[in-house]
Amino acid sequence: MKNQYFSVIKFPVFVSISLILLTALFFFFSVSGYASLGLSLVEKIIYGVIFGVILLLIITWLLVLSSTHRKIKNKILKTYLKWMMFHVYYFLAMVINLLFIQSRVSLWESFLNFNNEIVLTNHLGKKHKKVLLLLPHCLQNSKCQIRVTDDIMNCEECGKCVIAHLKKWANQESVHAAVASGGSIARKLIVEHKPEVIVAVACHRDLVEGTRDAWMLPVYAVLNERPHGPCFETTVSLANVEYAVQKFI
Ligand code: SF4
């Protein structure tokens, strides 16, 4: 229960804490500098710029928070908020995570959940024809000799792994499903299919790297399960995948 709670709130809470700390540090140094020797013109300018940056970070973060439940229509603002989330706030949360000696995995999960909320909000009520279901190679049974990375249609549906069900279900729903064995193949698939939305299945690390890599694109993340450890005969909740894809088609 506690883990589930953290996997939702950790990222937004850690970003907020980092901004509170930055603001507190700023006031501590500026006020103590002013109280002891006063501030020279150069120092006033430097403190002014730092204050402006902190203010911008806070306002932008409030807008990012609001984008989890309110659609941002302005494309430039939307791109700016996404860029800040993936390139600035992600690192701020990582620093706080490091300071509190917390597990990276729950922060990653929270970051992915947070991004999923934004993707859902931005695509609420829209029906998409080009949804790409991106699956990891490790879902495949390790003894299977078929190259599903070339084409998922090669799967002979023997039922020894979830690929069979996902292939059949994606066909029924006219969703393009593909299996990627790594980041470069995933990028190639995205370039080839030019999807409007991507539903990606993978582990925490790969999903965070993938969503950050393709930050301009709407990527909805679904975590896989690893009953045999990482990268080996993993599986995924079919209900979670179907639920995610249904939101966009
Ligand atoms: S379901 Fe498909 S991919 Fe999985 S083991 Fe059978 S043939 Fe191979």
Side-chain angles (χ1 to χ4, degrees):
M1 187 68 190
K2 191 177 154 211
N3 285 352
Q4 265 180 330
Y5 188 62
F6 263 127
S7 70
V8 176
I9 66 152
K10 201 172 183 182
F11 174 71
V13 166
F14 277 18
V15 175
S16 304
I17 289 174
S18 72
L19 294 176
I20 291 168
L21 282 178
L22 277 177
T23 311
L25 282 174
F26 169 78
F27 279 109
F28 174 76
F29 284 111
S30 59
V31 170
S32 57
Y34 182 75
S36 57
L37 296 167
L39 296 176
S40 68
L41 182 63
V42 176
E43 284 171 331
K44 279 180 188 163
I45 292 170
I46 291 171
Y47 279 122
V49 170
I50 296 173
F51 182 68
V53 171
I54 292 175
L55 203 61
L56 187 67
L57 281 174
I58 293 170
I59 293 168
T60 306
W61 176 237
L62 293 176
L63 287 170
V64 173
L65 279 178
S66 77
S67 71
T68 57
H69 60 274
R70 200 171 57 101
K71 202 183 282 192
I72 305 281
K73 291 196 179 118
N74 185 303
K75 278 191 179 163
I76 296 171
L77 180 62
K78 196 157 89 176
T79 309
Y80 166 69
L81 295 180
K82 281 184 91 178
W83 190 90
M84 289 293 283
M85 186 179 111
F86 283 98
H87 298 93
V88 177
Y89 299 119
Y90 172 76
F91 286 106
L92 289 178
M94 285 299 272
V95 170
I96 297 297
N97 201 57
L98 206 68
L99 285 177
F100 288 174
I101 321 169
Q102 290 278 311
S103 126
R104 274 189 305 181
V105 173
S106 59
L107 180 68
W108 283 337
E109 193 167 337
S110 173
F111 176 74
L112 293 169
N113 284 331
F114 191 84
N115 183 52
N116 281 354
E117 280 303 311
I118 295 176
V119 174
L120 277 180
T121 303
N122 282 335
H123 293 266
L124 207 66
K126 282 190 203 166
K127 299 286 170 209
H128 299 284
K129 287 203 170 77
K130 293 180 86 177
V131 175
L132 174 63
L133 175 60
L134 209 48
L135 304 166
H137 185 219
C138 56
L139 286 179
Q140 189 178 18
N141 183 286
S142 60
K143 294 191 182 73
C144 180
Q145 298 297 316
I146 293 163
R147 283 184 68 88
V148 284
T149 42
D150 287 345
D151 187 350
I152 196 172
M153 293 305 143
N154 292 341
C155 165
E156 289 176 0
E157 298 181 26
C158 74
K160 285 186 184 148
C161 67
V162 285
I163 302 268
H165 179 94
L166 290 168
K167 170 198 161 187
K168 217 176 345 175
W169 181 79
N171 271 346
Q172 272 168 19
E173 301 292 331
S174 307
V175 169
H176 188 91
V179 181
S181 54
S184 47
I185 304 285
R187 272 189 289 276
K188 188 169 159 272
L189 285 165
I190 292 169
V191 170
E192 274 172 13
H193 296 288
K194 297 184 178 57
E196 293 162 283
V197 179
I198 301 161
V199 174
V201 177
C203 62
H204 297 80
R205 183 189 294 270
D206 285 0
L207 281 174
V208 169
E209 279 174 10
T211 49
R212 294 192 63 234
D213 202 28
W215 68 273
M216 287 282 277
L217 299 169
V219 182
Y220 188 97
V222 179
L223 285 166
N224 65 1
E225 294 159 22
R226 294 169 290 169
H228 310 290
C231 311
F232 183 76
E233 292 190 355
T234 63
T235 185
V236 65
S237 155
L238 301 171
N240 285 355
V241 174
E242 291 175 16
Y243 172 84
V245 175
Q246 294 284 5
K247 292 269 178 199
F248 303 105
I249 57 176

